[in-house]
Structures are given as C-alpha cells and as structure tokens.
Amino acid sequence: MVRRPHSLPSLLAGLALLVPLPVVLPTEAASQPAPAEAAAPAPAPPERPFGAECRTHQEGSQVVAYCHNPYPETDRVALHIECVRWWDLDSDSTRVATGPAMTIRLTGRCWKEVGSAWVTHTR
C-alpha cells in the first residue's frame, strides 16, 4: 500500500491548533482594578494615650508607689512585690481604679529584703 502525503489544507488546520489566539476582554472587565489593589487595608485609628504614671520608692522592707493618671480613661493599677528570701512571701495588691486627674498611694512590704517592685496597668 502506498502512503499519500498530507494535503496542504489539513496541514494548515493542524498548525492553526498550535497557534494561540489573542483573548479580548470586554471594556468593563479591563477597567476594573485588580483584587489586590481594591482590598487595600484601611489605616488603623491612632491609639489613645493610656496609663497612670507611677513612681515606686523602697526603704528597707517597705515599698510605696504613687500613681497619677493624667488621662481621661480610668486605669486600674496594682503593686507587685518580689521578696529576696525564699520563705518570704511575694505579694500582689488588689487593683485600684485610678480615675482622671487622680493620684493614689499603694503600699506593701516583705519581712526582710525587697528584691523588686513594679506596678501593672489594666484598662
């Protein structure tokens, strides 16, 4: 059996399948921004200042902290004392609400030496 060469039209039809065709978008779809551009995050509002200013003073085994709140939001403060000796119990005071323009006094002690003392703040 004799094999016949392919005809020119069938060869061109086969080549046409290999050539990509350009894609045309409608004008509305082309003018829309990309999803990444459209979903830009909004800037976060600036955080309001908060927190009473506290000064701690230690004398021997006694600790005193004075806290003044200059801001309009109430700050709940607590004094924490860590004692040096292992048998001397560390202490945490109850939280005290410090309103706007208020100054409060927090006190605490160890039986012997004070290792460290600090004040924490809660909204």
Side-chain angles (χ1 to χ4, degrees), residues 45-121:
E47 198 167 310
R48 291 177 47 180
F50 170 78
E53 179 183 341
C54 297
R55 297 172 191 237
T56 58
H57 176 71
Q58 172 191 342
E59 189 171 318
S61 63
Q62 300 283 334
V63 177
V64 177
Y66 290 96
C67 296
H68 175 73
N69 184 8
Y71 301 112
E73 193 172 338
T74 299
D75 184 6
R76 295 171 40 92
V77 295
L79 176 64
H80 307 278
I81 301 172
E82 189 173 282
C83 302
V84 173
R85 308 287 174 138
W86 66 269
W87 48 263
D88 203 349
L89 296 177
D90 300 340
S91 63
D92 300 316
S93 73
T94 58
R95 296 215 171 268
V96 178
T98 309
M102 280 183 67
T103 301
I104 63 162
R105 180 176 182 239
L106 302 168
T107 61
R109 66 181 299 271
C110 293
W111 283 101
K112 288 282 190 177
E113 302 89 10
V114 173
S116 61
W118 66 94
V119 176
T120 57
H121 306 265

Side-chain angles (χ1 to χ4, degrees), residues 12-24:
L12 290 177
L15 288 176
L17 294 174
L18 298 175
V19 176
L21 297 175
V23 177
V24 178

